[in-house]
Amino acid sequence: MEIRNLSKSYQVAGRRLDVLKHLNMKTDDRGITVVLGRSGCGKTTLLRLIARLEPADEGEILWEGSGKLGVIFQEPRLMPWLTAGDNILFGAGRKEQEKQEKLERLLKLTGLEGFEDAYPAQLSGGMQQRAALARALASDPDYLLMDEPFAALDYFTRRQMQKELLEVWRKEQKGVLFVTHSIEEALALGTKILILDGGVCRKEYDLTGYPYPRDLLDGDMIAIRKDIIEHIEEREETTL
């Protein structure tokens, strides 16, 4: 995916608020591109524009292939009156036998085997996000968009979900655009990290040479983390 000169603004209390300003960026088609930035920097707005949930003021979003997307939000957004299995297959639109085969594969892939008849209220937070991931995969997307999907989880569940996402990514071989404000999460997941600040992409880090699972206490990881922090803090000081 390539984004060219993407801009988006809103009218807030009678004045114009520019969120994205002629943003240019490219994602890794088969990798995990992480968009990292402080709260309010425009990460979710960017994802909504890419997901076609609202229009941009100007600019282009270009795709190779069909550009079919699977979207996973900050909250699982499961329908409480449907079972986990029915939530996963909602909108899949296939013949009954094909849907059942797909459900069995996705339950196994996301570790939800045996919970297909459970309702969302009977699932833990991590299991609800697994169901949301399985639902996104059920439509056979070319690309996954993930908007801070693990932010509400406790530390240990979050770490486990990161590991499970990497396993799903290895098996499915789909491109992922992952939005987060956590530097540690970006370092743990990203093949590419893009720093979003002031409505533009300020810096890019290529992590394709670092294998998984990553030791975040490794010297290289610490150095990259320090550089990210210094870059964001420097930008914050210049805007005060």
Side-chain angles (χ1 to χ4, degrees):
M1 178 183 65
E2 181 176 359
I3 290 175
R4 297 178 182 172
N5 297 314
L6 193 67
S7 296
K8 180 66 178 180
S9 63
Y10 298 97
Q11 290 294 321
V12 179
R15 65 186 183 91
R16 172 172 166 155
L17 176 63
D18 292 315
V19 180
L20 301 177
K21 305 173 184 177
H22 302 288
L23 173 68
N24 292 281
M25 58 177 273
K26 290 183 179 180
T27 66
D28 188 344
D29 289 342
R30 287 293 176 262
I32 301 177
T33 301
V34 177
V35 176
L36 175 66
R38 292 170 295 175
S39 295
C41 73
K43 303 185 301 296
T44 295
T45 297
L46 172 62
L47 213 69
R48 289 181 62 83
L49 298 183
I50 295 172
R52 310 178 186 104
L53 296 176
E54 55 183 288
D57 295 344
E58 58 182 301
E60 295 179 293
I61 301 172
L62 307 174
W63 292 94
E64 290 185 3
S66 69
K68 189 175 182 181
L69 304 174
V71 184
I72 302 155
F73 300 96
Q74 294 180 24
E75 308 84 21
R77 301 192 182 184
L78 302 176
M79 287 168 279
W81 58 88
L82 296 180
T83 64
D86 289 337
N87 266 288
I88 291 169
L89 291 179
F90 186 81
R94 291 175 175 266
K95 295 179 180 179
E96 196 59 38
Q97 182 176 351
E98 292 177 350
K99 288 172 67 174
Q100 189 59 38
E101 291 172 354
K102 177 181 283 289
L103 177 61
E104 291 174 2
R105 184 181 73 82
L106 291 172
L107 289 170
K108 183 176 181 179
L109 179 67
T110 56
L112 288 173
E113 289 176 296
F115 292 93
E116 58 269 30
D117 294 326
Y119 287 89
Q122 299 171 314
L123 302 175
S124 68
M127 294 173 76
Q128 289 181 31
Q129 282 294 13
R130 292 188 188 105
L133 175 57
R135 180 179 58 190
L137 292 169
S139 62
D140 297 318
D142 296 325
Y143 212 89
L144 290 175
L145 304 179
M146 306 186 74
D147 185 10
E148 301 193 63
F150 310 144
L153 304 176
D154 65 80
Y155 172 82
F156 298 102
T157 305
R158 186 170 185 163
R159 290 282 291 163
Q160 181 61 32
M161 290 300 298
Q162 290 167 2
K163 294 175 183 176
E164 293 181 11
L165 172 60
L166 288 172
E167 187 62 25
V168 169
W169 168 71
R170 285 192 189 98
K171 292 179 178 178
E172 295 295 297
Q173 291 294 297
K174 297 181 185 297
V176 177
L177 183 65
F178 192 102
V179 165
T180 185
H181 62 264
S182 167
I183 297 174
E184 288 74 17
E185 188 162 63
L187 292 172
L189 295 176
T191 56
K192 176 188 286 189
I193 299 175
L194 303 175
I195 305 297
L196 186 64
D197 186 55
V200 299
C201 182
R202 295 290 178 185
K203 194 164 184 180
E204 178 179 320
Y205 298 85
D206 184 356
L207 275 66
T208 52
Y210 296 93
Y212 300 106
R214 289 177 180 154
D215 178 4
L216 300 188
L217 298 179
D218 174 77
D220 285 351
M221 291 291 105
I222 292 174
I224 296 171
R225 182 179 186 275
K226 182 180 179 181
D227 190 72
I228 291 172
I229 291 172
E230 290 178 348
H231 183 79
I232 292 175
E233 287 180 344
E234 178 184 354
R235 281 289 308 158
E236 184 176 19
E237 290 173 359
T238 60
T239 56
L240 290 178

